[in-house]
DNA sequence: AATGCGGGGAC
DNA sequence: GTCCCAGCATT
C-alpha cells in the first residue's frame, strides 16, 4: 500500500477529536495554528476556547485592545504571536473587509504566518495542495526514509517540503497534512516510539537500520544565559502597589511587571536597600524593606534562566498611579509574576 | 545562517 | 537535568 493510503487509514482510525478540526473557517484555523506554534495541543486548547468565545470573528479580535489580547494570551508564551495576531486581525478586518487571503502565497504575507502556518491554513481551509513541514513531519519522514539531513538548517526544510509534496495525494491535501502531523504526535513520537505496533514497521528504514533513536538529526544547541531580577513590590498605606509595562525589546514585550532592579548576580538586603534609597525609588520615604524569600524562584525560559527575587517595599506616601491587588489582575503579566500576585493575595 | 523568543510536559 | 512542542521574525 502507498505511504499516503496507509497513513490516512491510520489517521481515520486514531485521530483525536480536536475543536479546530470541526471547521474550515480560516479565522479559527488561523487562530489555532498560531497558538500551536511550538506549543502542545493540550496547552493550547483552553486558549483556543477562550479566544473563540471572546472573539467569535476576526472583527471582535481586531476591535479589542492589545492589552486584552495579551491578557487572554497570558501564560501561553511567545507573546509576539499575540501581538502579531492582533495586528493581522486588524489588517484583515479593516483592509480586507474580513476576508482572509485566498491562497498559500497570499497568506504567507501575513504577520506571524510563515511557511508552515500558511500551508496549514491553505490546506485545511481551502484544500490547496501545499505540504506542511513542522517538527512532526521532520521526524516522520526522516525516519521512514532514513534522511540524515540536519533539520536545524534552512535548506533541509525545502528538502522535506519537496518530499512531502510528492507523497501528498493532490486531491486530499487537508487530510494528508493532518494525518502526517497526527502520526508524528501520537505514534512516531520523539522518545521511545512503540514501533512494534506501527503501521509502517514493515517499511520504515530507520526501524530496519535501528536508527529510530538517532533520527531526525538536529544540530543546534542553544546557549542559556543567566539573569538576575529583583522585583520591587511597593506597598503604600492604602495597600496599593506599582506596575509598569515592559516596552523594551526582548522578553515579555508589552507585558507588565513590578519595578525591576536587574543585577549581575544574587544580591542581598543591603544592596537592595542602598540601591532603592539612592536610586530608582528615592522619591519615596521607605519605611520597611523585606525580602519575599518564599517567592524566590528560578524561572526557566528556553534561552534564559531568570533568578527572581521579590522585595516588598513599604512606603509612606501614596503610590502615584497605584493599584490594589484586585485591579492588578486585569493586566497581562508574565506567568511567573502573575503566580506571585495570586499567592500574595491568597496569603492576606 | 544564527539567534531570540515562553511555558510546560515527558522522561 | 534533557528534549521538544502544529515556528516566526530579525539580523
Amino acid at each position: 500500500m502507498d505511504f499516503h493510503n496507509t497513513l490516512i487509514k491510520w489517521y481515520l482510525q486514531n485521530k483525536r477529536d480536536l475543536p479546530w478540526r470541526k471547521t474550515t473557517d480560516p479565522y479559527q484555523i488561523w487562530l489555532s495554528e498560531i497558538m500551536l506554534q511550538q506549543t502542545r495541543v493540550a496547552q493550547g486548547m483552553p486558549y483556543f476556547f477562550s479566544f473563540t468565545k471572546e472573539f467569535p470573528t476576526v472583527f471582535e479580535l481586531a476591535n479589542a485592545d492589545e492589552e486584552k489580547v495579551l491578557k487572554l494570551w497570558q501564560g501561553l508564551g511567545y507573546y509576539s504571536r499575540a501581538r502579531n495576531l492582533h495586528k493581522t486581525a486588524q489588517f484583515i478586518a479593516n483592509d480586507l473587509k474580513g476576508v482572509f487571503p485566498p491562497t498559500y502565497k497570499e497568506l504567507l504575507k501575513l504577520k506571524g504566518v510563515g511557511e508552515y502556518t500558511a500551508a496549514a491554513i491553505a490546506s485545511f481551509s481551502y484544500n490547496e495542495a501545499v505540504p506542511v513541514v513542522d517538527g512532526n513531519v521532520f521526524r516522520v519522514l526522516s525516519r521512514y526514509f532514513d534522511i540524515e539531513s540536519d533539520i536545524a538548517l534552512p535548506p533541509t526544510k525545502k528538502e522535506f517540503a519537496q518530499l512531502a509534496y510528492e507523497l501528498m495525494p493532490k486531491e486530499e491535501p487537508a487530510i494528508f497534512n493532518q494525518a502526517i502531523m497526527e502520526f508524528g504526535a501520537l505514534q512516531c513520537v520523539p522518545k521511545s516510539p512503540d514501533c512494534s505496533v506501527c503501521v509502517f514497521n514493515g517499511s520504515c528504514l530507520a526501524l530496519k537500520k535501528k536508527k529510530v533513536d538517532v533520527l531526525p538529526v538536529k544540530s543546534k544547541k542553544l546557549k542559556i544565559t543567566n539573569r538576575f531580577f529583583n522585583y520591587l513590590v511597593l506597598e503604600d498605606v492604602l495597600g496599593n502597589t506599582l506596575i509598569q509595562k515592559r516596552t523594551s525589546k526582548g522578553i515579555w514585550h508589552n507585558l507588565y511587571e513590578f519595578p525591576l532592579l536587574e543585577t549581575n548576580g544574587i544580591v542581598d538586603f543591603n544592596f537592595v536597600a542602598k540601591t532603592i534609597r539612592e536610586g530608582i525609588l528615592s522619591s519615596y520615604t521607605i519605611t520597611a524593606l523585606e525580602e519575599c524569600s518564599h517567592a524566590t524562584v528560578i524561572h526557566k525560559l528556553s534561552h534564559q534562566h531568570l533568578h527572581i527575587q521579590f522585595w516588598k517595599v513599604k512606603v509612606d506616601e501614596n503610590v502615584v498611579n497605584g493599584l490594589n491587588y484586585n485591579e492588578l489582575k486585569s493586566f497581562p503579566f508574565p506567568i511567573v509574576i502573575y503566580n506571585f500576585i495570586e499567592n500574595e493575595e491568597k496569603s492576606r
Side-chain angles (χ1 to χ4, degrees):
Chain A
M1 197 142 82
D2 287 351
F3 180 84
H4 69 261
N5 282 327
T6 304
L7 181 68
I8 290 171
K9 182 182 174 192
W10 174 90
Y11 175 69
L12 294 176
Q13 293 172 350
N14 295 279
K15 64 175 180 173
R16 291 168 290 184
D17 184 22
L18 303 176
W20 43 85
R21 286 186 181 152
K22 300 178 187 300
T23 180
T24 57
D25 175 7
Y27 170 68
Q28 292 192 42
I29 302 293
W30 166 68
L31 198 53
S32 68
E33 292 302 336
I34 300 298
M35 288 178 172
L36 294 176
Q37 290 168 3
Q38 292 292 285
T39 304
R40 289 171 194 283
V41 164
Q43 189 185 2
M45 185 95 73
Y47 292 84
F48 179 79
F49 286 123
S50 62
F51 269 72
T52 49
K53 182 177 181 187
E54 192 68 29
F55 312 122
T57 74
V58 71
F59 293 102
E60 285 85 6
L61 179 55
N63 290 334
D65 293 333
E66 182 188 270
E67 216 156 279
K68 176 159 185 190
V69 176
L70 285 172
K71 183 64 189 178
L72 277 179
W73 199 271
Q74 175 181 287
L76 196 53
Y78 284 158
Y79 297 94
S80 67
R81 292 185 293 173
R83 299 190 301 270
N84 285 332
L85 185 82
H86 187 228
K87 289 196 190 79
T88 294
Q90 294 179 327
F91 172 70
I92 292 171
N94 301 331
D95 296 11
L96 304 184
K97 303 187 189 315
V99 180
F100 271 72
T103 64
Y104 168 81
K105 191 179 171 187
E106 293 298 312
L107 287 164
L108 199 48
K109 296 177 183 173
L110 300 174
K111 269 186 197 306
V113 174
E115 292 175 354
Y116 164 76
T117 304
I121 301 171
S123 61
F124 301 158
S125 289
Y126 311 144
N127 227 30
E128 185 177 342
V130 280
V132 290
V133 181
D134 72 336
N136 293 305
V137 176
F138 275 130
R139 192 167 54 254
V140 171
L141 296 183
S142 68
R143 286 175 175 169
Y144 186 83
F145 292 101
D146 181 26
I147 300 168
E148 295 187 352
S149 306
D150 183 351
I151 66 169
L153 302 177
T156 304
K157 186 152 80 170
K158 293 188 175 183
E159 181 187 351
F160 280 77
Q162 175 63 29
L163 176 56
Y165 181 74
E166 289 166 5
L167 294 168
M168 168 187 287
K170 306 302 183 292
E171 68 282 6
E172 42 186 1
I175 196 165
F176 176 80
N177 280 343
Q178 291 279 10
I180 194 167
M181 288 194 287
E182 190 79 336
F183 185 76
L186 299 182
Q187 172 63 44
C188 195
V189 294
K191 300 290 181 187
S192 309
D194 186 359
C195 301
S196 70
V197 299
C198 180
V199 292
F200 290 120
N201 62 15
S203 48
C204 175
L205 283 182
L207 179 60
K208 183 178 179 183
K209 299 182 177 180
K210 299 189 187 306
K211 292 171 70 178
V212 172
D213 58 335
V214 298
L215 291 173
V217 175
K218 186 177 181 182
S219 62
K220 293 177 186 167
K221 307 257 190 284
L222 75 158
K223 156 173 155 225
I224 306 290
T225 58
N226 287 296
R227 298 177 73 180
F228 302 88
F229 285 6
N230 295 275
Y231 281 120
L232 307 175
V233 185
L234 268 63
E235 183 179 323
D236 65 16
V237 291
L238 301 173
N240 287 348
T241 190
L242 182 65
I243 57 172
Q244 52 200 19
K245 190 190 256 198
R246 285 183 73 94
T247 55
S248 56
K249 285 190 176 291
I251 60 170
W252 299 337
H253 183 70
N254 284 5
L255 274 63
Y256 285 78
E257 63 185 359
F258 297 108
L260 171 62
L261 171 60
E262 184 171 0
T263 53
N264 292 324
I266 303 282
V267 293
D268 61 13
F269 178 92
N270 290 330
F271 181 90
V272 175
K274 182 169 156 58
T275 305
I276 62 180
R277 214 166 44 235
E278 299 173 352
I280 46 184
L281 299 181
S282 57
S283 59
Y284 289 104
T285 306
I286 296 159
T287 59
L289 172 65
E290 174 193 346
E291 180 180 1
C292 306
S293 51
H294 58 282
T296 299
V297 63
I298 301 176
H299 186 67
K300 294 178 179 178
L301 308 182
S302 54
H303 49 293
Q304 300 182 18
H305 286 184
L306 306 178
H307 302 251
I308 299 179
Q309 291 173 281
F310 293 90
W311 301 83
K312 186 150 291 181
V313 185
K314 295 194 178 177
V315 298
D316 235 1
E317 301 82 0
N318 287 353
V319 171
V320 181
N321 297 324
L323 299 167
N324 65 40
Y325 273 71
N326 208 30
E327 292 168 324
L328 282 190
K329 296 185 111 180
S330 65
F331 291 83
F333 290 100
I335 201 63
V336 65
I337 296 178
Y338 188 77
N339 288 341
F340 171 83
I341 293 170
E342 275 211 316
N343 288 333
E344 281 303 294
E345 197 182 28
K346 236 178 285 175
S347 64
R348 291 169 175 253

